[in-house]
Structures are given as C-alpha cells and as structure tokens.
Amino acid sequence: MSIVFVPKRLRGKATINQETIQRLLDENDQLIRCIAEYMQKGRAVECVQYQQILHRNIVYLATIADASPDNILPPSSHCTSNATSVSVPTVNGNGGS
C-alpha cells in the first residue's frame, strides 16, 4: 500500500524528510512501470487503480514542494539534456507526447 495512506490519527504528525520523499519517488517509478506493463497487456482496470495511486502520490509531493520554503533537491539533481520523452496515448484524438 502507498505510504501516502496515513491513518487519520497520524496525519500532520509525520516528519517529511529526504528519505520519505525518495521512497515516494521510488514507488512512483514502480507504479509507472506497472502501468506501462498493464497497458501493453490491455488490462485497463489495473492501469486505473495504479494511476489513482500515482496521482495521489504526485499531488502529495506537489503539496510538500509548495509548502517548502527551500529547495529539497540539490542543484546537481536537476534533469539534464539526456532526459527522454514519454509518448502519451491519445483518446478521441486528444493527447500528446
């Protein structure tokens, strides 16, 4: 289960540190791999379930980033020109890469 699912009694009490953020990023990486695999196999129901968890994780990370007064990542960890583009499937002609 995603680490974002925190019991109500613990919400707001967890400390956000680099390790927690890295675990979420690693989990997101695995979720993306699972989504891609299930898409190739045509298993849409599983894709939607994993996409919902991925979305929740990304929103949580964005909330942390917005609330953080300083940069969490060191400057050397920014994307370089070696980044690859990901193709997004189109739905009814709407989509992109």
Side-chain angles (χ1 to χ4, degrees):
M1 180 178 271
S2 176
I3 63 173
V4 172
F5 298 105
V6 177
K8 287 187 179 185
R9 68 182 189 284
L10 298 176
R11 289 184 187 167
K13 297 179 183 178
T15 57
I16 305 301
N17 57 31
Q18 188 64 35
E19 180 183 332
T20 303
I21 293 170
Q22 189 58 52
R23 282 190 310 182
L24 272 170
L25 293 172
D26 293 342
E27 181 179 353
N28 288 353
D29 179 62
Q30 186 62 35
L31 286 167
I32 291 168
R33 292 173 193 272
C34 288
I35 291 166
E37 181 180 331
Y38 283 133
M39 284 175 60
Q40 289 177 347
K41 294 179 180 179
R43 297 174 64 180
V45 174
E46 290 87 350
C47 283
V48 171
Q49 292 171 343
Y50 286 127
Q51 286 171 342
Q52 289 172 340
I53 296 169
L54 178 63
H55 178 264
R56 196 173 359 240
N57 287 357
I58 291 171
V59 168
Y60 182 71
L61 287 168
T63 303
I64 293 170
D66 287 345
S68 177
D70 57 345
N71 280 336
I72 296 172
L73 299 174
S76 63
S77 66
H78 293 290
C79 292
T80 64
S81 61
N82 293 337
T84 59
S85 69
V86 176
S87 177
V88 177
T90 60
V91 177
N92 295 333
N94 297 324
S97 58

